[in-house]
Amino acid sequence: MASRWLKTNCLLASATALWLAALSPVPPIAKGISYSLALVASVQLVDESRRLIAQDARRAALSAMNQELEQVEIALHSQQQEQALYEIYGAAPTYPKEVREELTTSLEHLYKEPSADHSGETSASTSNDKAFYLAVIGLLEAKGETYVIEQILKMGGRRWEEGKRRLQQILQQGKQNEWD
């Protein structure tokens, strides 16, 4: 059986040839026969085109369904693998009960204990300021003053002068603390 595309193209060629034959200088009886045959070929062309469209739509739907099934199968397989890994490694504690309790109490003690020495907080803020200063210096060299004021300090436009003063304060603080 010939493919539907071949049939459709043959019917189209036949309908066109018969229609052109009817337009040529031939006797009236030949024109009538040509018009009739062109009309029959056109009706068959429409019918065959409907079948072709339905077949292509069915093929596309089946392809989409198969693709969806493959994705679902992959998802299920992945879920099964995750479940197997969870069962292997699971949420079971890796420490014995006594060790876990000891770790919990020691962490609670460290968390609740009031510390007499708070110098760590100051050094943390100082290290943050130093890191910020060094980052600003790097960006000034790479991108320039405008980028730092607008994108980092978020003080562009009407707040430009304020941003420029803030940048100078940061640079001055870094030089005073010798963070270079």
Side-chain angles (χ1 to χ4, degrees):
M1 182 175 148
S3 75
R4 292 207 187 276
W5 281 104
L6 181 62
K7 285 183 183 178
T8 305
N9 286 330
C10 288
L11 285 170
L12 178 63
S14 299
T16 305
L18 290 168
W19 188 263
L20 290 175
L23 294 176
S24 66
V26 291
I29 190 86
K31 283 187 180 204
I33 293 172
S34 291
Y35 279 135
S36 299
L37 291 176
L39 184 62
V40 169
S42 297
V43 169
Q44 287 180 344
L45 174 65
V46 168
D47 190 40
E48 196 63 35
S49 295
R50 282 185 192 154
R51 289 185 192 135
L52 184 63
I53 290 171
Q55 182 183 16
D56 284 348
R58 191 175 304 117
R59 187 177 299 128
L62 287 174
S63 173
M65 287 176 18
N66 286 337
Q67 187 177 13
E68 183 70 24
L69 286 174
E70 287 174 5
Q71 290 174 353
V72 168
E73 183 181 359
I74 290 170
L76 285 174
H77 184 65
S78 297
Q79 184 181 12
Q80 289 171 349
Q81 286 180 337
E82 287 176 10
Q83 184 65 29
L85 287 173
Y86 182 75
E87 289 172 2
I88 292 171
Y89 296 109
T94 56
Y95 297 113
K97 185 177 180 180
E98 298 83 22
V99 174
R100 188 177 55 211
E101 288 175 1
E102 186 179 330
L103 287 172
T104 304
T105 56
S106 64
L107 284 174
E108 286 175 356
H109 178 69
L110 287 173
Y111 179 73
K112 292 178 181 177
E113 179 183 305
S115 177
D117 182 29
H118 293 289
S119 64
E121 295 173 5
T122 308
S123 68
S125 66
T126 303
S127 67
N128 285 341
D129 289 344
K130 181 179 179 180
F132 183 68
Y133 169 76
L134 293 174
V136 166
I137 291 295
L139 285 172
L140 279 174
E141 292 173 2
K143 302 270 185 166
E145 183 181 71
T146 304
Y147 180 81
V148 171
I149 293 172
E150 289 179 350
Q151 301 298 322
I152 306 304
L153 301 177
K154 304 287 186 203
M155 295 184 170
R158 295 182 183 179
R159 298 178 59 198
W160 177 264
E161 291 300 320
E162 183 183 348
K164 198 164 187 167
R165 283 193 302 273
R166 176 71 180 123
L167 179 61
Q168 292 304 321
Q169 288 172 354
I170 293 168
L171 295 175
Q172 186 178 11
Q173 180 185 9
K175 287 180 183 176
Q176 286 175 350
N177 293 324
E178 297 177 356
W179 288 335
D180 291 326

